[in-house]
Amino acid sequence: MLANTKRILTEEQREQWAVDGYLQLRGALSPAEVDFFSAQLDRVRGEPGYEPAPGRLPRGHYAWTDHADLAVDGFMDRRDLLGYHQSFIDLIDRPRVFDLILDLMGPFIQFSMSQAIVRASTDTFPGYIHTDGGEAQRAIRVTETSRPLAVKVMYLLTDVTEPDSGNFTVLPGSHLRPFPERAERIPGPTSPGAVPLLGRAGDAYVFPHALWHGPSPNHSGKPRKTILYNYCQMFMRPYDFGAPYARLFDRCTPRQRRLLGDLGHDFRPGDFFYAPEDQEALMMGAA
Ligand SMILES: O=C(O)CCC(=O)C(=O)O
């Protein structure tokens, strides 16, 4: 039995997590927060930041870029949002959702990645299905009784109430199956077993790295906006920063600082594998 100091999930959620491999939280953000973050994404696209650079950088890598497509309904895939506004820092450990992350993952975790994706309405994007974390991580799955290695929260900022609207699409139960190595076996958003989820702006999907998932095409006539936050076990590397994210520390609470890699001392061997003594208390909000 796993030690569990924070119990937030209902029995139904616990079962869905084990069997289907994902959760949908209704109304994780309030309507006012949805409007706020949506406006932030419109602003951020005009500012410099990390964007994919196909042809210049390999898939999964991001280059510092002047701005995204300036049309607010155009595509955007912006990484590392934390510096753009205090609200992005505060979203890291937003109580209801972060409590659930602690319940699922345990207290020895760190923040790994923030991302804003706007899926434009277009006939040219067919969608795709993948697991998270690149070539090595897709070959690693944990059992139902294990803590997850990495978990993503995807906040919907747009209603997605019809298929083919850029739906977050999942293959329930696939977190326990090997991801195919051969391209011809990799499923797509309309393959048997793929479920395009429906949701309202403010809902959040929570899923582990090993769940086969991805976007459906978006033919809805409107852009689908999302924010994604990723958490991983402390012994893994964060996606967005290669060393403690010191530039942000003076804007963070002690818990946020720890989640961004501040262990309270300069690096020494053993760090990140053996946690500071106050780790559990800090994560549970008691320190
Ligand atoms: O844009 C989406 O719907 C999916 C995003 C996604 O698959 C991911 O962040 O791993």
Side-chain angles (χ1 to χ4, degrees), residues 99 123 206 225 280:
D99 289 345
D123 289 336
V206 184
K225 289 178 168 176
E280 291 193 58

Side-chain angles (χ1 to χ4, degrees), residues 100-114:
L100 193 135
I101 292 290
L102 287 174
D103 190 349
L104 290 169
M105 302 188 74
F108 304 106
I109 59 170
Q110 63 192 331
F111 187 71
S112 176
M113 189 200 92
S114 54

Side-chain angles (χ1 to χ4, degrees), residues 10-28:
T10 63
E11 282 313 307
E12 193 184 346
Q13 285 175 317
R14 217 169 281 286
E15 183 173 305
Q16 194 189 0
W17 180 261
V19 174
D20 293 337
Y22 71 93
L23 301 173
Q24 181 165 357
L25 312 179
R26 304 277 177 192

Side-chain angles (χ1 to χ4, degrees), residues 171-191:
L171 282 94
S174 58
H175 58 306
L176 301 173
R177 300 209 299 274
F179 193 80
E181 295 292 333
R182 269 184 294 216
E184 65 270 23
R185 297 208 52 161
I186 295 177
T190 56
S191 297

Side-chain angles (χ1 to χ4, degrees), residues 3 17 20 71 80 100 120-121 135 138 147 181 187 200 219 245 251 282:
W17 180 261
D20 293 337
D80 193 7
L100 193 135
S121 179
E135 303 82 357
R138 77 176 171 212
R147 298 281 196 211
E181 295 292 333
R200 295 267 176 201
H219 303 146
Y245 207 151
R251 297 163 61 183
L282 195 55

Side-chain angles (χ1 to χ4, degrees), residues 115 117 119 130 132 152 154 168 213-215 224 228:
Q115 186 175 22
I117 301 182
R119 299 258 170 227
H130 63 290
D132 283 338
K152 221 177 234 179
M154 175 169 168
F168 182 64
H213 68 276
R224 189 228 61 189
L228 299 109

